[in-house]
């Protein structure tokens, strides 16, 4: 095992930045691509209703419990370049949040009165996602320590292992619950090999947690946690409304047209994530103009990709999705306007993430929470009425309205923070 860990870590690279970018892209791509592959496989092998159940379990409620376990800590951890908190502090808090997510998932399944199969699939996907969230604590530490490539490797190898096992089991048994159980086992094995064993071979990882530090970390990140949970509720409010108001097969169709947003978020992650540590250092040094320049560069890239994505969705979106989901072809044929709306909403979400990370770096958690609270209330008010009015199109429209509201509010607060920082650092402004 020690030899395997050292092989994963690899030798010192002559071009570490290039290695970080390549592995980060590979891991992120496979992680996003897995959701699409799994959704297609379930629909084609187990049927449309099973596809709808899996879509809700994996991409909606399971992912929501991931956000609870994730606790919104990763941006805080990877930008904690001064080492205010140890890895032991971050891991200790993450273990508590993972336990809370599992218990919440168990309660949700019990209270909703699902059939045994649906309850089993939903709960097992919660466990799968919680293991993912626990692995994220290790992968954030890899990135904080300047080893982003290890984050990418873990993402890539764990995804290949768990998805491969799930698909093999589903193809053999045609049983969604059994395949989900095998996927959980593979996810746990991947976490042990590619995260736990690897981090123990790295130097300068501080495992000790001083008395009171986890409580202090909790107090500093509680607003990020609440924000993360509210963020995903906003992101998924349309899915919850469709799951509550329409049939499982409609959930499968909506999941199919929603799938391209994961590609947009993936590409946005490629663009944003490598800059986060640099943005953090730039902000701490008071170099406001440089910070704003990085933001503008990222924003222009997202804008160019948005034009391509929206145009491609209108022309090729439904034909391509119909090829990928032949069992859903009839339902998809009416969804071109909804698909274009969702693609546009995904682009707004990418901008929102750029402003969100900037506000985390600025330590403006209370403003983040306030915005999420306001837009969550908006989501409660609009999502179900929109779906009852327009079905799948109504769900897509609700998604655009909500992500647009987040983007505008975060963007305004981000701009205010930059202007305030300029006023407080006039000497740095002159040096720039």
């Amino acid at each position: 095992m020690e030899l395997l860990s050292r092989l994963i870590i690899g030798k010192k690279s002559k071009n570490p930045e290039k290695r970080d970018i390549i592995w980060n892209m590979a891991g992120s791509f496979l992680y996003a691509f897995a959701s699409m592959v799994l959704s297609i496989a379930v629909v084609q092998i187990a049927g449309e209703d099973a596809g709808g159940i899996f879509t809700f379990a994996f991409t909606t409620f399971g992912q929501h419990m991931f956000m609870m376990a994730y606790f919104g800590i990763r941006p805080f951890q990877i930008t904690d370049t001064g080492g205010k908190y140890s890895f032991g502090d971050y891991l200790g808090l993450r273990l508590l949040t993972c336990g809370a997510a599992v218990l919440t998932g168990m309660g949700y399944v019990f209270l909703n009165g699902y059939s045994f199969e649906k309850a089993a699939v939903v709960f097992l996907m919660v466990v799968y996602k919680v293991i993912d969230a626990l692995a994220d604590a290790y992968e954030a530490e890899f990135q904080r320590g300047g080893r982003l490539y290890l984050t990418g490797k873990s993402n890539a190898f764990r995804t290949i292992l768990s998805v491969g096992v799930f698909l093999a089991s589903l193809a053999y048994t045609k049983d969604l619950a059994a395949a989900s159980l095998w996927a959980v086992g593979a996810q746990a094995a991947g976490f042990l090999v590619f995260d736990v064993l690897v981090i123990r071979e790295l130097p300068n990882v501080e495992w000790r947690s001083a008395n009171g530090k986890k409580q202090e970390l909790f107090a500093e990140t509680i607003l990020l946690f609440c924000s993360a949970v509210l963020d995903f509720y906003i992101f998924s409010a349309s899915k919850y409304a469709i799951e509550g108001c329409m049939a499982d097969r409609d959930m499968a169709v909506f999941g199919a047209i929603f799938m391209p947003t994961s590609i947009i978020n993936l590409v946005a992650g490629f663009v944003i994530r490598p800059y986060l540590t640099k943005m953090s250092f730039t902000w701490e040094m008071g170099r406001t103009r440089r910070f704003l320049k990085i933001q503008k560069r990222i924003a222009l890239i997202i804008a160019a990709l948005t034009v391509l994505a929206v145009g491609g969705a209108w022309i090729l979106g439904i034909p391509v999705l119909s090829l990928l989901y032949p069992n859903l072809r009839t339902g998809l044929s009416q969804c071109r306007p909804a698909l274009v709306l969702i693609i546009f909403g995904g682009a707004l979400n990418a901008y929102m993430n750029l402003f969100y990370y900037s506000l985390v770096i600025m330590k403006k958690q209370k403003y983040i929470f306030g915005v999420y609270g306001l837009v969550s209330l908006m989501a409660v008010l609009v999502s179900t009425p929109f779906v009852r009015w327009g079905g799948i199109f109504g769900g897509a429209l609700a998604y655009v309205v909500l992500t647009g509201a987040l983007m505008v509010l975060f963007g305004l607060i981000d701009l205010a923070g930059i202007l305030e920082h300029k006023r407080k650092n006039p000497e740095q402004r002159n040096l720039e």
Side-chain angles (χ1 to χ4, degrees), residues 40 44 316-330 332:
I40 293 170
Q44 296 308 120
L316 299 173
I318 295 303
V320 170
L321 288 175
S322 296
L323 287 174
L324 294 173
Y325 295 89
N327 285 1
L328 301 178
R329 185 176 287 115
T330 301
L332 288 169

Side-chain angles (χ1 to χ4, degrees), residues 165-375:
V165 168
F166 177 89
L167 292 177
S169 174
L170 185 66
Y172 181 74
T173 66
K174 307 295 189 296
D175 187 325
L176 181 57
S180 300
L181 181 60
W182 277 100
V184 169
Q187 176 80 309
F191 164 60
L192 175 64
V193 173
F194 302 117
D195 292 298
V196 176
L197 296 180
V198 168
I199 204 168
R200 293 187 178 278
E201 297 297 321
L202 300 180
N204 305 320
V205 175
E206 180 55 65
W207 289 85
R208 289 179 298 178
S209 179
N211 288 337
K213 292 296 284 186
K214 284 191 289 291
Q215 292 88 333
E216 186 181 336
L217 177 59
F218 176 85
E220 278 210 65
T221 56
I222 181 63
L223 290 181
L224 287 177
F225 157 68
C226 294
S227 298
V229 172
L230 292 176
D231 169 50
F232 194 75
Y233 170 69
I234 294 164
F235 182 79
S236 302
S238 297
K239 291 183 180 179
Y240 278 112
I242 286 174
E243 200 267 344
C245 299
M246 303 178 76
D248 284 335
R249 62 189 60 200
D250 295 313
M251 184 74 239
V253 171
F254 192 73
I257 64 170
F258 210 86
M259 179 269 297
T261 61
S262 64
I263 306 299
I264 295 172
N265 289 330
L266 168 69
V267 174
F270 290 162
V271 175
I272 297 171
R273 192 176 296 175
Y275 284 100
L276 290 179
T277 303
K278 185 184 295 185
M279 288 175 70
S280 182
F281 277 123
T282 303
W283 185 260
E284 289 174 7
M285 292 170 64
R287 299 181 64 188
T288 312
R289 189 177 299 173
R290 174 64 178 163
F291 184 85
L292 187 58
K293 186 177 180 180
I294 295 172
Q295 277 194 333
K296 287 180 178 178
R297 184 185 305 164
I298 296 170
L300 286 172
I301 295 171
I302 293 174
L305 293 171
T306 299
V307 173
L308 291 174
V310 171
W314 181 260
I315 298 169
L316 299 173
I318 295 303
V320 170
L321 288 175
S322 296
L323 287 174
L324 294 173
Y325 295 89
N327 285 1
L328 301 178
R329 185 176 287 115
T330 301
L332 288 169
S333 64
Q334 307 299 317
C335 291
R336 178 177 276 110
L339 173 64
V340 172
L341 275 178
I342 284 174
I343 294 294
F344 182 66
L348 298 181
N349 191 64
Y351 279 112
M352 183 275 293
N353 279 323
L354 169 61
F355 298 139
Y356 169 85
Y357 282 119
S358 297
L359 293 176
V360 170
I361 291 170
M362 296 176 189
K363 302 294 188 288
K364 293 189 178 295
Q365 288 92 323
K366 63 180 180 180
Y367 295 101
I368 294 172
F369 176 67
V371 169
Y372 277 131
L374 179 64
V375 181

Side-chain angles (χ1 to χ4, degrees), residues 413-428:
I413 297 169
D414 175 69
L415 179 60
I418 289 172
L419 294 175
E420 180 186 10
H421 203 252
K422 276 186 175 181
R423 287 195 300 270
K424 290 181 177 179
N425 296 274
E427 67 287 347
Q428 278 292 342

